[in-house]
């Protein structure tokens, strides 16, 4: 007998959708950060609306848990692509692999893994009375004062230990601490928004 295979249209459409998603994922892995701005940077960034483009996520360095290519201003350039069948600038044909513009994303700048959070805490706890923690973080003047006064008579050592522990005191170059794994790193959030008092009076 002759065997026949019957394909369901819904199954075929599911396979097509999976292939499309895989092709987009492969395009993401090609380039996650911008080495240079494309020629269409200004036009496409100004004309494309949300939903007409998608941007990649930056690659993460597993040693420092930070974005690869993070700059000293705390941003990293990620690649952005036009959505299917969307064109901008002088582009006439849609190319899914063409970077149309680069966008800045916030990142943690660790200055080449220079300042380890756990090393800073350990130095402050055990050698803080000699100012070694301040020397390590790039504050030689304060470190010298602590060395001459035995950590400001141990009071300055205790204060510095608490400030470093809660990350209120960081490296002098304004970079951030790094840790070799996900640890208790803090993010300071500042706001200038006005707070309004909520009353029990009904809205009119």
């Amino acid at each position: 007998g002759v065997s026949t295979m019957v394909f369901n249209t819904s199954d075929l459409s599911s396979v097509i959708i999976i292939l499309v998603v895989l092709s987009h994922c492969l395009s993401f892995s090609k380039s996650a950060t911008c080495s240079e701005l494309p020629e269409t940077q200004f036009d496409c960034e100004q004309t494309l609306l949300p939903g007409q483009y998608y941007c990649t996520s930056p690659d993460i360095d597993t040693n420092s848990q930070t974005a690869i290519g993070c700059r000293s201003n705390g941003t990293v350039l990620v690649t952005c692509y036009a959505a299917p069948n969307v064109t901008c600038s002088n582009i006439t044909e849609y190319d899914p692999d063409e970077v149309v513009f680069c966008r800045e994303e916030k990142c943690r700048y660790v200055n080449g893994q220079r300042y380890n959070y756990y090393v800073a805490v350990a130095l402050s706890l055990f050698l803080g009375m000699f100012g070694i923690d301040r020397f390590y973080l790039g504050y030689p003047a304060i470190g010298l004062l602590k060395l001459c006064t035995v950590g400001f008579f141990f009071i300055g050592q205790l204060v510095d230990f608490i400030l470093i522990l809660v990350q209120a005191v960081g490296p002098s170059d304004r970079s951030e601490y790094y840790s070799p794994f996900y640890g208790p790193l803090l993010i300071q959030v500042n706001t200038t928004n006005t707070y309004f008092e909520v009353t029990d009076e009904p809205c009119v």
Side-chain angles (χ1 to χ4, degrees):
V2 179
S3 61
T4 58
M5 298 180 62
V6 178
F7 291 96
N8 193 343
T9 56
S10 61
D11 295 336
L12 184 59
S13 62
S14 299
V15 172
I16 294 175
I17 293 175
I18 292 174
L19 291 176
V20 171
V21 172
L22 287 176
S23 64
H24 283 294
C25 291
L26 291 176
S27 66
F28 286 165
S29 61
K30 290 181 180 178
S31 178
T33 56
C34 287
S35 57
E36 59 182 10
L37 298 179
E39 297 179 355
T40 57
Q41 171 73 26
F42 180 77
D43 293 337
C44 293
E45 186 179 20
Q46 297 296 325
T47 57
L48 290 182
L49 301 176
Q52 296 182 332
Y53 64 91
Y54 55 90
C55 300
T56 60
S57 299
D59 295 328
I60 303 298
D61 184 358
T62 56
N63 295 323
S64 61
Q65 304 298 340
T66 57
I68 298 176
C70 186
R71 301 176 295 180
S72 58
N73 61 353
T75 61
V76 60
L77 288 175
V78 297
T79 53
C80 296
Y81 303 86
N85 301 322
V86 175
T87 58
C88 61
S89 186
N90 56 352
I91 301 175
T92 57
E93 296 183 0
Y94 170 72
D95 184 0
D97 297 327
E98 182 175 1
V99 179
V100 294
F101 70 92
C102 299
R103 187 175 67 177
E104 287 187 342
E105 295 285 347
K106 292 184 178 180
C107 60
R108 293 179 53 253
Y109 176 67
V110 296
N111 193 13
Q113 306 178 24
R114 187 174 181 181
Y115 301 100
N116 190 311
Y117 170 69
Y118 302 102
V119 172
V121 172
L123 290 176
S124 182
L125 177 62
F126 298 107
L127 299 174
M129 72 286 291
F130 304 119
I132 304 301
D133 51 351
R134 286 288 185 165
F135 284 114
Y136 175 72
L137 295 176
Y139 302 97
I142 300 178
L144 185 60
L145 286 175
K146 290 179 69 176
L147 177 63
C148 297
T149 59
V150 194
F152 296 109
F153 305 104
F154 297 100
I155 298 177
Q157 179 190 6
L158 176 61
V159 172
D160 268 355
F161 174 72
I162 296 175
L163 292 177
I164 293 175
L165 185 64
V166 300
Q167 300 175 37
V169 170
S172 61
D173 61 358
R174 298 186 180 275
S175 63
E176 298 189 36
Y177 295 108
Y178 90 93
S179 61
F181 54 87
Y182 287 106
L185 297 177
L186 303 179
I187 299 177
Q188 297 182 3
V189 178
N190 300 321
T191 180
T192 58
N193 294 335
T194 304
Y195 291 90
F196 296 94
E197 182 180 358
V198 178
T199 61
D200 296 332
E201 298 178 1
C203 298
V204 179

